[in-house]
Amino acid sequence: MRGFMPMRRAAVVAIAGALVAWHAPAQAQNNKTVLIPCVCELSGAGAVSGTNYRDGAHIAVNEINAAGGILGHKIVMHDYDTQTNPMVSRALVQKVVDAGAYVVMGTVYSGSTDVNMLVTEHAGVPQITGSEAPDITQKGDPYIFRTSSGSEKDIPALVDYFTQTLKVKKVAVEWVQNDFGKGGHDLFVQAIRKAGVQVVADVPSEQGQVDFSPDVAKIKQSGAQAVFVYVNEEEAARFLKEAKKQALTVPLVGDVTLTDQKVIELAGPAAEGAIAHVGLTVSAPVPSIQEFVAKFRKIYHHNTDHNGIKGYIGVYAIKYVTEMIGTFDRKAFAAKMHGLTLDAKKYPGMLLTTSWDKTGELSRESFMTQVKGGKAVVIATIPAN
Amino acid sequence: MAQFLQVLLSGLATGSIYALAAVGFSLVWQAAQAVNFAQGEFVMLPAFLVLIGEHWLHWPLWAALLFGFALSILLLGLAFKRLIVQPFGPDGGLPLVIATMALSILLKEAVKTFYGAEAEPFPSLLPNGTFHVGGAVVSVRDVLNLLAALAVVLLLTLFLDRTKTGRQMQAAAQNPGVAEILGVDVARMTLYAFLLNAALAAVASFLITPVYLAKFSNGESLGIVAFIAAIIGGFNRIRGALVGGLLIGVLDNLTATYVTLSYRAALPLVLLIAVILWRPQGLLGDEEARIV
Amino acid sequence: MLELSDIRAGYADVQILNGVDLALRPATITTVIGPNGAGKSTLFRAIFGLIRVRSGSIRFGAEEITNEKPARLLARGIAYVPQGRNVVARLSVRHNLELGAVTLADQSLVAPRIEAVMDRFPALRQHQARKAGDLSGGQQKLLEIARALLLDPKLLLIDEPSIGLSPNLVRDVFKVLQGLRDAGVTVLMVEQNTKAALAISDDGLVLELGRARMHAPAAQLLADPAVGRLFLGAAIEG
Amino acid sequence: MRGHREAIGVAVVVAALIVAPLGQGNYIAYLLCSWLMLAIAAMGLNLTLGYAGRISLAQASFIGIGAYATSIVTLAHYPWVLGMAVGVVLCFVVGLLLGFPALRVRGHYLAFVTLAFNSLFFLVARNEDWLTGGTYGLSGMPRPRIGPVSTSGQLAFYYFTLAVALLAAVVLRLIVRSPWGRAFKALRENEVRAESLGLDVRRLTLLAFAIGSAYGGLAGAIEAPLVQYIDPGSFDVVQSLSLLLMVVVGGLGEFWGPVLGSAVAVLLPEALRVTAAYYLMLYAIAVILLMTRCPGGLIGLARRIAARPARRRGAAVS
């Protein structure tokens, strides 16, 4: 008897838990709604990106629903937390696909998207991801679409900047050893070498690293004429502070993060002079983006990063494309979106004119920005490619 | 040479912060046989309490600091002992370890949910300048951090060795049974150890957060480094934790500069395994004290 | 002096003392004898408030002291030297002595009293700066006794003082106890070396299965053939 | 009598597990697979920690070794069985080696040695791209074929996982019930006594580590084809801590403890999804309360509740 009891309890718990699990979301679907779930990193290492992506998406959902929905259907968006765990993300995408999702929003972390896009591809459900790793759109998956361009799109602009604007022959690379940093690092090192520039210091750092003094000391010693910095926000701020402390005076150039408002706030005066190529940025000197950023702050009482914008335009893209095809047809949706350009003048929810190619890769115009007087200022505009 | 000096000095500055966390950790370990898996979060939290005072209650910095310090002692000292450690009795064992792991999740999640997931700047309490030593650039802040850590450990050692209360704490930690028959208030002495740990964590928090930035996940690596520092140095010695902390800070930087960057995190781990296997009492510890 | 009536106490589910009655005469040495598991050490722990007395009462002089905390009992003039090693190894000899006086209300008395006990135990004065853990076993035991004397106790509970000591040291310890008795201190002792202990005692108490079987002058117990067969012979042979 | 009832109970549960995913869609089948996978790993940890009393904070690294071995072998188009065998044997050997520190130190010290091992494993998995794919990880592992039957469908893979898990449970049951198992328990209760009973404490300790680790490897061999993607982050120290939590929350040293503990860990986020951001906090508070009130875990709690009326009846009679 004693041996048997716990097992029965286990079964009861398992069954009770499972019942809760599979009945809740299914009811949401009736004929006047459309299910667009958001599967995101709400906890774990990717929580900041994931929550911003979700919050941005919800702003769009509320606006669209207030204006009558998509083709008269109200959007129902439930949030699912992947815990930044690829295995969980796959389970959750499977779950929302089973529940009849029209289009899936998320995930932001490339490691997760790599896994769960297998599920949407298999089921033929379009997925609007926030991931920027190059391989996402290189797998021939017809149902994956980006909300910002992959890092491989940014690299040519950066290489041009090092070779043509800065005219340097020796660079150092400071990068973070996660899938984001490694993706950028590999592409950049390959491209800059091809352009005849020598990489004199290749410095990997840990995610969450706090002491950047050996990194900066190594770069200083290497005689690099400029540094390519490819790390996440807090690490970027710590790196900038250490660089300032050790009086590293060569240009520091990054992608997206280095001139991010958050980094400027965290690094204070140490951020002054930092340069970055930004695709989609909250500091872009474009009225539509500034309006969105203000709107976000008003609703959530904190600032968003570019992931908030990605979530927002992702949902609007779903609306516009669906209205173009006139029906909730997943296959037609994916077909329509390939090779599509949405002009921001006609489709204001896109904030900036945006195009997708046949792989789901995205392009729009981008900017070179530099921190001047505590603000990121655009120093050059790079057309869409 | 300038490079060597540079990373050595930076390593000492970082190591001094590890040392503060490690000292408190070994105090609690000795006093209550409790390995606190939430130690890293104990260093993360006080900075956020200050930020709450500053940004939510709109108090001046000094009041916010005082508020953060007092609340840390209350929450991480008193409440931690009463609500989490005490119910387990004298030998908490594994369930107590699990409870502190759960506490670390709770603290992280609470900060993330109620304050925010993004890193926040933290006001610097120390002057910002830099000066040059033999070609290395040293910030005043780093030097002051190091001095502060040394001073705290020195004062603590003096307190434990030179005052009657300190010696009662030592007796209560080393041999609670004897302390009790001599009339030492063992429960009170144990409480002092918890309060001291909370105070040290708060000091460490205020010193490092201007550099580390305030983030809910700051404790994750710091907690582990504190364990490692305490064990390497010898957990039954206050100055062992100090030496362990400084050693890890310096070795970490030297490895990163001269040996390997991808494996920079491996060195303290290898050192830890080696110390545990060949000298479990730690580099400075003595053998007579019990091994938990 | 010390009066126990119908004391019951034990650990968790096991009751060890099953109704102990005892009255000590002032300024005497009383040795408790009995087989292993009779509850000798438990009796001391119960008197000194280290385990809960479940029923019965303990009186010291005119006062009820059942289940009082050690710190209170020390203040009343009861000191306890448990069996085994009980020094704080990493503190110096002098600091160990000081610890014996933490409950003393007037801390200005501590220094002179330490001087006084060091007069009594010159070896301790000689080693006062050394770590207690570095002393020999016998010296540690002397340190413990000295530490117990700092508060000028009226009653000394001492458990197995001779374990691990050389015969010379045992003699020294017994001499100290006799000296204390002569100075008016009441001593209650458990001792495996029963014959030698009874020889210096005034009274003896036979404890068996958690009850006091016999309480009589030591000489009478030494002469009792039944006691000798049951409790003394084994101890001497073993 | 007792054995008989237990047999019926197990039969009912197995029957329930067989029908559980029917008609429930892929998600439930997937969820049940991850539960069974974690249960296998937790069972192994329970053998090392719950039965033999040696703590290990490295179980996730063994899942990792099993998963990488299986992935590398199956991505090279060799059968899953081979990958699984390589992974399990590798874990057994590495577990044996990791058992050596357990001969010298225990308790918190052993916890830190194993924790350090897990961190080192993470670094190697991340840095040695040539073997492990580095931060990008490995993906696209095929699911096994059993003769002509492919398990690439979610339901088929569930039954495959269930079969493996049941087999693993039966083997563990045999181990626990064997003289070995009793020796493990003796080792946990009192090492000196175990030695005096003539048990070879050295060999038992090493075996406890090796077998527990091999179970981790088996779980990894399931995880690779289940998720079809692995990266170093899936096997870091945090995962080891959460496995430890599962074992202790379920009930340390209880045969069904890890099964229950992993079920709670997998299903609780689902059950508490209404509480959104607060669920981890609620879970943490629940664990703290459980540990302070009932260190025996959920099974200990169930026992206590089951025993209470009996005790009351007993009291009334006396």
Side-chain angles (χ1 to χ4, degrees), chain D residues 51-248:
Chain D
Y51 286 96
R54 296 296 191 274
I55 192 168
S56 164
L57 291 182
Q59 191 69 345
S61 58
F62 290 107
I63 302 182
I65 291 173
Y68 275 110
T70 307
S71 304
I72 292 166
V73 169
T74 55
L75 284 174
H77 306 294
Y78 293 105
W80 176 83
V81 180
L82 182 68
M84 184 272 288
V86 169
V88 169
V89 170
L90 206 58
C91 285
F92 188 89
V93 173
V94 177
L96 207 62
L97 294 176
L98 194 63
F100 278 96
L103 299 175
R104 283 185 63 93
V105 294
R106 58 208 38 168
H108 304 320
Y109 280 83
L110 187 56
F112 289 124
V113 172
T114 51
L115 186 146
F117 173 81
N118 204 138
S119 309
L120 288 173
F121 170 80
F122 172 85
L123 289 176
V124 171
R126 191 198 59 195
N127 290 345
E128 304 307 317
D129 323 37
W130 58 275
L131 183 67
T132 63
T135 36
Y136 295 145
L138 297 171
S139 61
M141 284 73 85
R143 286 183 173 176
R145 291 188 75 84
I146 317 275
V149 186
S150 156
T151 62
S152 61
Q154 204 58 263
L155 199 62
F157 190 75
Y158 168 73
Y159 287 119
F160 171 74
T161 307
L162 181 61
V164 173
L166 286 176
L167 204 65
V170 168
V171 171
L172 191 72
R173 190 72 168 173
L174 291 177
I175 294 176
V176 170
R177 286 282 167 89
S178 73
W180 269 14
R182 288 195 289 275
F184 283 145
K185 270 190 185 161
L187 187 64
R188 178 187 61 177
E189 301 303 336
N190 187 336
E191 190 171 322
V192 180
R193 216 173 55 116
E195 204 147 31
S196 70
L197 289 174
L199 297 172
D200 185 344
V201 168
R202 265 179 82 83
R203 210 176 60 187
L204 278 173
T205 305
L206 294 179
L207 264 180
F209 256 91
I211 299 175
S213 308
Y215 269 73
L218 183 62
I222 298 285
E223 179 169 352
L226 170 66
V227 188
Q228 296 180 306
Y229 170 82
I230 55 170
D231 72 336
S234 312
F235 312 109
D236 64 10
V237 173
V238 177
Q239 312 300 327
S240 279
L241 297 185
S242 93
L243 275 163
L244 179 70
L245 228 62
M246 287 177 210
V247 172
V248 179

Side-chain angles (χ1 to χ4, degrees), chain A residues 156-198:
Chain A
L158 281 159
V159 169
D160 285 352
Y161 190 78
F162 277 98
T163 53
Q164 284 160 32
T165 310
L166 296 176
K167 297 190 169 45
V168 292
K169 286 279 156 224
K170 287 189 220 165
V171 297
V173 183
E174 169 79 30
W175 55 287
V176 57
Q177 298 184 80
N178 57 21
D179 53 353
F180 157 77
K182 184 151 172 59
H185 162 264
D186 292 357
L187 287 165
F188 178 81
V189 169
Q190 199 186 5
I192 199 94
R193 282 199 177 126
K194 206 182 264 171
V197 176
Q198 197 188 347

Side-chain angles (χ1 to χ4, degrees), chain B residues 24-75:
Chain B
F25 173 76
S26 53
L27 268 184
V28 165
W29 186 341
Q30 287 177 73
Q33 310 304 302
V35 168
N36 180 15
F37 266 81
Q39 185 74 8
E41 280 66 37
F42 277 32
V43 180
M44 175 273 292
L45 189 70
F48 279 96
L49 298 176
V50 174
L51 289 178
I52 287 173
E54 240 196 324
H55 298 316
W56 292 9
L57 307 173
H58 304 289
W59 290 347
L61 181 60
W62 64 267
L65 280 169
L66 218 58
F67 167 77
F69 191 73
L71 207 56
S72 300
I73 288 179
L74 215 60
L75 289 176

Side-chain angles (χ1 to χ4, degrees), chain B residues 30 161 164 167-168 170-171 174-175 178 180-184 236-237 286 288-289, chain C residues 48 50 70 74 80 82 86-91 95 98-99 102-103 107 131 147:
Chain B
Q30 287 177 73
D161 286 342
K164 285 187 177 164
R167 289 193 292 267
Q168 287 186 56
Q170 287 194 55
Q174 285 172 41
N175 203 332
V178 171
E180 192 183 5
I181 60 160
L182 296 176
V184 172
N236 58 23
R237 283 283 185 223
D286 44 29
E288 71 203 30
Chain C
F48 207 62
L50 295 169
L74 285 163
Y80 172 46
N86 300 289
V87 297
V88 182
R90 290 232 304 268
L91 291 183
H95 287 151
E98 239 173 42
L99 273 178
V102 289
T103 53
Q107 287 288 310
K131 278 190 197 168
R147 195 174 58 185

Side-chain angles (χ1 to χ4, degrees), chain B residues 22-228:
Chain B
V23 167
F25 173 76
S26 53
L27 268 184
V28 165
W29 186 341
Q30 287 177 73
Q33 310 304 302
V35 168
N36 180 15
F37 266 81
Q39 185 74 8
E41 280 66 37
F42 277 32
V43 180
M44 175 273 292
L45 189 70
F48 279 96
L49 298 176
V50 174
L51 289 178
I52 287 173
E54 240 196 324
H55 298 316
W56 292 9
L57 307 173
H58 304 289
W59 290 347
L61 181 60
W62 64 267
L65 280 169
L66 218 58
F67 167 77
F69 191 73
L71 207 56
S72 300
I73 288 179
L74 215 60
L75 289 176
L76 306 177
L78 191 67
F80 176 54
K81 175 175 187 269
R82 289 276 155 81
L83 301 180
I84 298 194
V85 179
Q86 204 151 297
F88 288 94
D91 183 23
L94 190 60
L96 174 55
V97 169
I98 301 285
T100 64
M101 282 177 190
L103 178 66
S104 102
I105 297 175
L106 180 64
L107 292 177
K108 257 191 307 208
E109 288 297 310
V111 167
K112 196 180 80 185
T113 310
F114 298 119
Y115 199 91
E118 291 197 294
E120 300 291 333
F122 188 82
S124 175
L125 313 175
L126 302 171
N128 251 333
T130 54
F131 57 92
H132 294 254
V133 184
V137 191
V138 183
S139 72
V140 177
R141 194 211 316 260
D142 283 355
V143 174
L144 290 177
N145 274 356
L146 180 60
L147 290 178
L150 290 176
V152 165
V153 173
L154 184 71
L155 284 175
L156 192 62
T157 314
L158 285 178
F159 167 71
L160 288 174
D161 286 342
R162 301 284 169 86
T163 68
K164 285 187 177 164
T165 310
R167 289 193 292 267
Q168 287 186 56
M169 282 182 67
Q170 287 194 55
Q174 285 172 41
N175 203 332
V178 171
E180 192 183 5
I181 60 160
L182 296 176
V184 172
D185 191 340
V186 175
R188 176 179 295 258
M189 295 306 133
T190 310
L191 177 63
Y192 287 169
F194 279 83
L195 297 182
L196 273 175
N197 176 40
L200 289 171
V203 171
S205 189
F206 300 160
L207 289 177
I208 56 159
T209 316
V211 190
Y212 278 29
L213 311 169
K215 194 175 181 195
F216 73 96
S217 58
N218 271 359
E220 283 168 9
S221 56
L222 196 65
I224 305 261
V225 175
F227 304 159
I228 297 179

